[in-house]
């Protein structure tokens, strides 16, 4: 489901470039998943890139006017927070 997609997107900063399967997943998330979400009407690429860069401010959510985009960012930020608690920033 979509929650798994958002969880993968949240995990990108923690994926290991030296591990081939993790590097491939990072590429899929960066290119494929974001592109697919855009094809079905999501508009969150800018905010997701900012989350990957370490910005976790909830202002990211209110920048979006569409409810589905806001819900997607809430989910991604939720998974990001869980990952930070488990693995550190």
């Amino acid at each position: 489901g979509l929650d798994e997609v958002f969880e993968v997107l949240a995990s990108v900063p923690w994926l290991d470039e030296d591990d081939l399967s993790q590097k491939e997943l990072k590429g899929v998330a960066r290119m494929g998943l974001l592109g697919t979400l855009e094809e079905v009407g999501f508009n969150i690429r800018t905010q997701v890139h900012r989350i990957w860069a370490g910005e976790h401010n909830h202002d990211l959510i209110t920048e979006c006017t569409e409810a589905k985009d806001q819900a997607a960012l809430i989910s991604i930020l939720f998974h990001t927070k869980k990952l930070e608690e488990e693995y550190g920033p």
Side-chain angles (χ1 to χ4, degrees):
L2 275 178
D3 193 55
E4 288 87 4
V5 171
F6 300 144
E7 189 173 6
V8 170
L9 288 173
S11 74
V12 164
W14 286 272
L15 295 173
D16 184 352
E17 284 283 332
D18 296 327
D19 179 304
L20 185 60
S21 62
Q22 289 186 32
K23 186 175 183 173
E24 287 174 355
L25 181 58
K26 197 174 209 174
V28 166
R30 283 190 167 145
M31 304 302 161
L33 290 180
L34 273 177
T36 301
L37 286 172
E38 287 172 340
E39 286 171 18
V40 296
F42 285 90
N43 184 18
I44 58 172
R45 181 179 294 268
T46 300
Q47 288 80 9
V48 169
H49 280 276
R50 286 166 53 198
I51 291 169
W52 290 343
E55 190 177 329
H56 302 150
N57 191 316
H58 284 80
D59 291 344
L60 289 165
I61 298 163
T62 54
E63 287 175 7
C64 296
T65 55
E66 295 286 328
K68 70 177 178 301
D69 294 341
Q70 292 178 348
L73 292 170
I74 289 168
S75 179
I76 294 166
L77 286 167
F78 168 77
H79 288 297
T80 298
K81 186 174 180 340
K82 283 187 8 186
L83 287 160
E84 273 188 340
E85 288 169 359
E86 189 170 341
Y87 299 107

